Amino acid sequence: MKLYDRDVSGNSYKIRLFLSMLGLPYETVAINTAKGEQKRPEFLELNPRGQIPVLEADGKAIWDSTAILVYLARRYGGEKWLPLEAHDMAEVMQWLALAQNEILYGLARARAILLFGRKADFNEAQTAGQNALKVLDQQLQNHDWLALGRPTIADLACYPYVALAEEGGIPLDPYSSVLAWMKRIQILPGYVTMPGLRLV
């Protein structure tokens, strides 16, 4: 397998983290998004959206971090990480939706504004990010994991930009249940970290 990524990308980190937890070997191809390498014609052949990460596996290019998590879970993780039973799958997918909405447009965007100079409404991003943390904290007050009582790709989809929230000026200390969940993730077998991520 070949992963096109960038070390400071939270979405790319999701895939590195899951590959490590699954114990799967892979090759990394660094894409410098600051220089626009993701918009070059040869990369657009892999992902017409011009975004990282992209995973080449089984002779195909899979783009979008959520799609890659789903692929890896079903290809290598069996029922453990993403079950096929309808209700259980929906329970996981609910949190994938949070990762692609409030977390992305809140926590990830606030970080992108501060770290990478992205043009967007900082206050709006922070508000969305805090709302995401409230939703997560409420769920995690009575559950160790986001879905099904065990680690799933729901946790891996949400975790990176939560653990990077402070780089977007959003403190994590008010969310004690989120911090406890982060610690549980950080002691899972195969866990790896990334630059800027808060270790609990």
Side-chain angles (χ1 to χ4, degrees):
M1 285 186 285
K2 185 181 294 185
L3 177 64
Y4 297 80
D5 79 346
R6 188 179 180 197
D7 61 351
V8 295
S9 162
N11 281 328
S12 295
Y13 168 62
K14 294 175 189 181
I15 310 309
R16 295 195 304 271
L17 177 59
F18 196 25
L19 286 166
S20 180
M21 288 184 172
L22 292 170
L24 295 172
Y26 65 98
E27 174 188 348
T28 299
V29 180
I31 301 296
N32 190 333
T33 54
K35 294 183 177 179
E37 291 179 358
Q38 77 281 14
K39 303 297 184 183
R40 293 179 177 172
E42 59 270 25
F43 188 84
L44 292 174
E45 289 182 16
L46 298 172
N47 180 2
R49 294 174 75 195
Q51 298 174 350
I52 54 170
V54 172
L55 182 71
E56 284 189 325
D58 295 327
K60 296 182 179 180
I62 306 159
W63 44 265
D64 181 81
S65 61
T66 299
I68 298 170
L69 288 175
V70 168
Y71 165 79
L72 290 172
R74 295 306 315 145
R75 179 76 170 83
Y76 298 101
E79 292 292 300
K80 177 181 177 182
W81 291 96
L82 179 62
L84 288 176
E85 191 279 324
H87 185 272
D88 288 353
M89 180 184 279
E91 192 175 329
V92 172
M93 295 303 234
Q94 290 173 151
W95 297 103
L96 299 186
L98 184 83
Q100 290 295 333
N101 288 278
E102 290 91 336
I103 290 176
L104 179 64
Y105 296 114
L107 302 176
R109 182 165 288 176
R111 175 178 178 260
I113 292 167
L114 286 188
L115 282 192
F116 309 118
R118 179 162 181 181
K119 303 298 181 188
D121 187 320
F122 184 60
N123 291 332
E124 186 177 282
Q126 284 205 318
T127 298
Q130 289 161 354
N131 288 339
L133 289 170
K134 288 174 188 173
V135 170
L136 290 168
D137 205 64
Q138 182 176 358
Q139 172 73 359
L140 292 164
Q141 284 172 15
N142 299 307
H143 302 86
D144 284 346
W145 306 100
L146 292 178
L148 308 179
R150 65 176 189 265
T152 66
I153 60 170
D155 302 285
L156 301 189
C158 293
Y159 170 74
Y161 285 115
V162 169
L164 293 164
E166 289 169 338
E167 290 197 325
I170 301 173
L172 289 171
D173 288 334
Y175 306 99
S176 58
S177 297
V178 167
L179 289 172
W181 166 74
M182 287 168 52
K183 188 170 185 177
R184 287 190 289 275
I185 291 174
Q186 291 169 4
I187 60 173
L188 288 173
Y191 177 83
V192 292
T193 189
M194 71 165 282
L197 186 144
R198 176 168 173 175
L199 298 176
V200 183

